[in-house]
Amino acid sequence: MRDEDVETYYSCTLCQSFAPSHVCSVSPERTGLCGAYNWMDCKASFEINPTGPNQPIEKGECIDPVMGQWKGVNDFVYKASRGAVTHYNFYSMVTDPMTTCGCCECIAAMLPSCNGVMTVGRDYAGETPCGMKFTTLAGVMGGGASSPGFVGHSKFNITQGKFILGDGGLLRMVWMPKMLKEELKERIEKRGAAMGVPNLYDMIADETVGITEEEILPFLQEKGHPALSMDPLIG
Amino acid sequence: MALTGIQIFKLLPKTNCKECGVPTCLAFAMNLASGKAELDACPYVSDEAREKLSEASAPPIRPVVLGKGVRKAATGGETVQYRHEKTFYNPTLLAAQVGSDIAAADLEVKLKGWNALQFERVGLNLRPELVAVKDVNGKADTFAAVAKQVAETSEFNVILMTENADVMKAGVAACAFKRPLMYAATAANADAFGAIAKENDLPLAIKADSIDGLTSLSEKLTGMGLKDLVLDPGSREPKQCHQDMIALRRAALKNGNRAVGFPAIAFPCEMASNLDTETMLGAMFVAKYGGIVVMSDFAGESLFPLLLERLNIFTDPQRPMTVTEGIYPINNPDENARVLVTTNFALTYFIVSGEIEASKVPTWLLIKDSEGLSVLTAWAAGKFAGDDVGLFVKKSGIADKIKHQELVIPGYAASIVGDVEEELPGWTITVGPREAAHIPGFLRA
Ligand code: SF4
Ligand code: SF4
């Protein structure tokens, strides 16, 4: 199922108890960032409890098909965040990304010198090339804010079709913890192939290659990672 | 509109040289954006960038470090008006006051008593930080002697309270090595006090009769090159002071008013005639923006609630409180005592250990790391599943402390019984009560 196939997305505001301005919008190709709610779950939850935390959102007019922004979603988010968040993009981590609470499975961060992004799951406690561990990242960008350059997402979302597609999609991914990478191996290979880079999996660095941008850049160059030849990540 | 991390990042040198104390320019940019770092920490920012970043170049409320040694602490550094927006960072510092005419022997007794007021909670040691020495007779030598005795014979750090520059000088000479807070510069003595603070590199409190008065004083002193200031709006009527505290915090955070971007100090000791009322007011200022709260005395029953309140207000609401994984002996258990296991969510631990204590039955309580989740949540998230509970019990070393092989698991995790049994061959796994309140009955049965 693709985002284009439906007119209705669902909200999730369960996490507002501790991240008051946070609103997850769940679409078929973007599961909730905690990994616990996909579009179907939200739909079912709404049908069971029509006044609950999962409300239908009519997409309405499409403002930006590449970044993934809809008027109906913006209006909903503005209201549900009580004015704190005016708009956000579904498919970008660089430009006005979705808000992030504290309970995301993974946090993606940009790696400017590699012209790519990395992501780290909460199981990986070590240092990462962006200079921040998972907990530090969660501390600086969680709490319900939209922080350009960073976004919380679920593990499953990494290989979903719309993952940061506005920024170049999965082909931007230059670093992941080994454990997470291996867990998603098959799906990364499949998604890479669909995007025209069948050996993407082998091009993504992990902590055995390095934990700084300087350490992983030569590896990416050697492998010919597609991110290196993409448009600059930040203008 | 505040700058985002990415906007700040674009203006930084992007060399990842690490001199600012974090590994990358990006990490530094994020710290600046969230008000946790000062631009000055990066030696390589261009003048052009500095100008553009001026708004984000320092925390909206400066963290001020007081004291030295084990009770050294920072106050201020807050970035939000309401705790639920993010978290509060630096707990309100608690002070008790002595007059400069106190006899050395009496002071010794007091300090001993206050030093004994330390409480263990969730693996933390809760205790107050400061003693305020108040000049009551204008005598520099006795003031200095009392300050010296506090600084040298106790762990407490010092607030020097006088508006007389000569007395202050003597006090500073006696205890500057402990980085005391000077209280207070006023419109009348600001030049002299500013000079003393600058010369000795000490934090300085300023006192005015209104917030407007504070603003002009603070601008004057920062103009003299002072950075570490503490604000006293001068109000001693609880309602007015409460309003002032809120106004100060709002002005610093919402309006970006740098002149009041410093922690505030409150004086319940000057607002009430007995310690009970003082404590109540102290509690109000712990919650509403007192960076330092000065009481007339510390007593167990007044201090403990304040410390606990402080702990609660200043813990990060987005991170569950946890206790350390391990074996907790309760009521002096021996080798025949029963073994209970539960998760490391602090609330779970408190309730369960409290009930066991109340039962008076000697018991070993095993706390398994479940990332701060309660029993049912941990079970659902796979952090309190059969095999890992079994594995933890094996590794915990409890087997060496007991002669039997029985383990009691929480009633809510009843479904893991089979898996635990598999992991712990030979053990009897008993399903305990679901509610902690039923533990005493269960243990006594
Ligand atoms: S993170 Fe999960 S639970 Fe929280 S608001 Fe988003 S979908 Fe809902
Ligand atoms: S000191 Fe400046 S240039 Fe060096 S890493 Fe920090 S922000 Fe970047």
Side-chain angles (χ1 to χ4, degrees), chain A residues 64-147:
Chain A
D64 188 333
V66 180
M67 294 294 176
Q69 197 178 131
W70 292 269
K71 184 158 187 320
V73 177
N74 286 350
D75 292 346
F76 185 95
V77 169
Y78 182 75
K79 234 173 101 190
S81 68
R82 281 163 297 273
V85 182
T86 56
H87 65 284
Y88 57 47
N89 291 321
F90 277 53
Y91 310 146
S92 178
M93 61 162 315
V94 179
T95 320
D96 301 333
M98 211 177 269
T99 56
T100 299
C101 56
C103 59
C104 39
E105 278 188 299
C106 305
I107 298 175
M110 59 173 189
L111 294 179
S113 349
C114 299
N115 202 35
V117 306
M118 54 157 276
T119 193
V120 54
R122 56 173 67 239
D123 311 332
Y124 176 79
E127 294 292 345
T128 77
C130 74
M132 292 169 270
K133 299 178 186 177
F134 181 89
T135 44
T136 316
L137 275 168
V140 294
M141 53 78 69
S146 167
S147 337

Side-chain angles (χ1 to χ4, degrees), chain B residues 201-217:
Chain B
D201 187 23
L202 292 180
L204 174 63
I206 52 183
K207 181 185 177 185
D209 49 12
S210 67
I211 292 188
D212 288 341
L214 271 184
T215 311
S216 54
L217 254 183

Side-chain angles (χ1 to χ4, degrees), chain A residues 163-212:
Chain A
F163 178 67
I164 60 168
L165 201 58
D167 309 323
L170 188 62
L171 300 184
R172 280 280 184 193
M173 186 63 71
V174 297
W175 188 95
M176 291 166 87
K178 198 166 176 20
M179 212 164 70
L180 180 63
K181 197 170 93 174
E182 282 173 358
E183 185 183 333
L184 302 177
K185 181 163 191 227
E186 266 170 42
R187 300 214 320 261
I188 294 175
E189 283 170 344
K190 213 167 129 209
R191 179 74 193 134
M195 297 184 82
V197 186
N199 55 344
L200 179 67
Y201 179 83
D202 305 312
M203 296 176 170
I204 301 177
D206 57 35
E207 67 273 22
T208 62
V209 176
I211 48 165
T212 64

Side-chain angles (χ1 to χ4, degrees), chain B residues 273-334:
Chain B
S273 54
N274 61 70
L275 194 56
D276 293 348
T277 315
E278 260 184 52
T279 305
M280 199 178 70
L281 294 172
M284 172 173 86
F285 290 119
V286 168
K288 286 291 171 201
Y289 315 141
I292 304 168
V293 166
V294 185
M295 313 289 294
S296 63
D297 195 0
F298 291 139
E301 72 278 13
S302 70
L303 183 63
F304 183 62
L306 288 178
L307 289 169
L308 265 201
E309 181 203 10
R310 175 173 90 169
L311 176 69
N312 280 303
I313 301 256
F314 285 86
T315 47
D316 186 344
Q318 296 178 17
R319 216 174 280 176
M321 290 282 291
T322 58
V323 288
T324 329
E325 179 170 277
I327 304 175
Y328 291 75
I330 302 178
N331 303 330
N332 297 317
D334 61 12

Side-chain angles (χ1 to χ4, degrees), chain B residues 42-106:
Chain B
C42 171
Y44 305 109
V45 215
S46 67
D47 289 341
E48 187 205 342
R50 189 176 297 277
E51 200 172 301
K52 285 195 186 145
L53 290 175
S54 62
E55 187 198 338
S57 63
I61 296 177
R62 186 177 165 82
V64 173
V65 177
L66 301 186
K68 285 273 156 70
V70 290
R71 300 203 191 199
K72 161 180 164 181
T75 174
E78 302 305 338
T79 58
V80 290
Q81 187 88 14
Y82 301 107
R83 173 179 180 265
H84 66 250
E85 291 175 85
K86 182 95 192 161
T87 181
F88 293 157
Y89 293 98
N90 291 308
T92 306
L93 305 181
L94 299 173
Q97 191 174 283
V98 291
S100 58
D101 57 350
I102 189 172
D106 295 345

Side-chain angles (χ1 to χ4, degrees), chain B residues 89-311:
Chain B
Y89 293 98
N90 291 308
T92 306
L93 305 181
L94 299 173
Q97 191 174 283
V98 291
S100 58
D101 57 350
I102 189 172
D106 295 345
L107 180 57
E108 191 185 332
V109 174
K110 251 190 198 294
L111 288 174
K112 249 203 193 116
W114 289 345
N115 184 57
L117 296 171
Q118 306 193 27
F119 308 89
E120 293 292 331
R121 266 290 188 282
V122 262
L124 299 170
N125 179 286
L126 309 184
R127 58 190 179 192
E129 293 77 17
L130 298 161
V131 170
V133 181
K134 185 179 165 117
D135 170 26
V136 290
N137 50 21
K139 288 190 187 147
D141 50 343
T142 52
F143 183 74
V146 173
K148 189 173 155 88
Q149 191 181 346
V150 175
E152 285 182 358
T153 67
S154 80
E155 288 176 358
F156 288 103
N157 286 302
V158 185
I159 304 177
L160 296 170
M161 294 179 67
T162 180
E163 289 173 19
N164 176 326
D166 293 327
V167 176
M168 182 56 83
K169 265 191 200 141
V172 166
C175 69
F177 71 96
K178 254 191 150 172
R179 195 174 159 75
L181 170 68
M182 295 170 51
Y183 177 95
T186 62
N189 67 16
D191 289 312
F193 269 53
I196 304 174
K198 183 136 188 29
E199 189 181 324
N200 296 280
D201 187 23
L202 292 180
L204 174 63
I206 52 183
K207 181 185 177 185
D209 49 12
S210 67
I211 292 188
D212 288 341
L214 271 184
T215 311
S216 54
L217 254 183
S218 130
E219 277 164 357
K220 175 176 173 144
L221 289 161
T222 41
M224 290 171 69
L226 292 176
K227 287 189 159 169
D228 290 328
L229 300 180
V230 170
L231 309 175
D232 175 5
S235 34
R236 293 295 182 267
E237 194 277 313
K239 188 170 170 215
Q240 183 60 44
C241 191
H242 178 242
Q243 277 174 7
D244 286 349
M245 289 287 158
I246 295 172
L248 283 173
R249 175 70 66 98
R250 285 195 78 84
L253 293 182
K254 305 279 179 243
N255 310 337
N257 183 347
R258 293 259 172 230
V260 292
F262 300 97
I265 185 168
F267 290 88
C269 59
E270 296 177 14
M271 296 182 188
S273 54
N274 61 70
L275 194 56
D276 293 348
T277 315
E278 260 184 52
T279 305
M280 199 178 70
L281 294 172
M284 172 173 86
F285 290 119
V286 168
K288 286 291 171 201
Y289 315 141
I292 304 168
V293 166
V294 185
M295 313 289 294
S296 63
D297 195 0
F298 291 139
E301 72 278 13
S302 70
L303 183 63
F304 183 62
L306 288 178
L307 289 169
L308 265 201
E309 181 203 10
R310 175 173 90 169
L311 176 69

